Amino acid sequence: FEDGYRRLKENDIYTVIHMIVGLPGETEDMILNTARYIGDLTPVPDGIKIQLMHVLRGTKLAQMYEERPFHIPTLEEYCDTVRKILDILPEDITIHRLTGDGPKRLLVAPMWSADKKRVINTMRSVVTVSDPPQGS
């Protein structure tokens, strides 16, 4: 990762990092350490897409989940973790995404992610985004 990232930045290529939150066995401390790692990269990434991990039917991950269920964050847990990630990341990283949704027909977990309106409203209530300064 670091070698590829360095080469992209050396060639002035706009670089957006994808961060998946909620991997099997991942703790909140691990997630926040990943955010710190991303925020400490030099040069700073141009952007980040924060993505909720989805378990989709027909995948090895779904098979793992069915055989040995692992913790899937609740909507409230996810939004709270995203808020903490945003508090860690440098202000000059453009946030391209705060969540996402998998195809409903394939979704095994988390089912709450299928209710996009609820996700957006909950995210708004937990994650406050400041308005850009006037004249920007």
Side-chain angles (χ1 to χ4, degrees):
F1 169 80
E2 290 178 4
D3 179 59
Y5 179 76
R6 179 186 49 76
R7 289 190 284 154
L8 288 167
K9 297 309 288 178
E10 284 173 356
N11 287 287
D12 293 322
I13 296 173
Y14 188 87
T15 307
V16 178
I17 293 176
H18 292 235
M19 180 179 175
I20 299 173
V21 174
L23 296 169
E26 187 176 47
T27 65
E28 185 175 71
D29 283 343
M30 295 164 83
I31 294 165
L32 299 180
N33 282 336
T34 298
R36 286 183 197 92
Y37 172 81
I38 291 168
D40 288 342
L41 287 170
T42 304
V44 173
D46 298 297
I48 187 169
K49 290 184 177 185
I50 302 170
Q51 173 66 46
L52 168 66
M53 193 230 20
H54 292 95
V55 179
L56 300 178
R57 223 175 301 299
T59 65
K60 287 186 180 188
L61 185 63
Q63 183 180 355
M64 276 177 52
Y65 184 70
E66 289 166 9
E67 291 172 3
R68 199 174 197 176
F70 46 84
H71 177 71
I72 301 285
T74 65
L75 174 56
E76 292 72 17
E77 288 172 333
Y78 179 76
C79 290
D80 186 57
T81 300
V82 168
R83 182 190 51 77
K84 290 174 184 176
I85 291 168
L86 295 176
D87 287 344
I88 289 169
L89 294 173
E91 291 183 11
D92 49 349
I93 294 179
T94 301
I95 308 301
H96 290 265
R97 176 187 300 148
L98 295 177
T99 189
D101 51 357
K104 288 181 185 179
R105 63 182 168 67
L106 299 177
L107 188 62
V108 173
M111 294 310 294
W112 58 258
S113 68
D115 186 349
K116 195 177 273 193
K117 187 174 184 178
R118 178 176 166 228
V119 172
I120 290 169
N121 287 335
T122 304
M123 186 69 72
R124 279 192 183 133
S125 72
V126 175
V127 178
T128 56
V129 180
S130 60
D131 293 327
Q134 295 298 322
S136 295

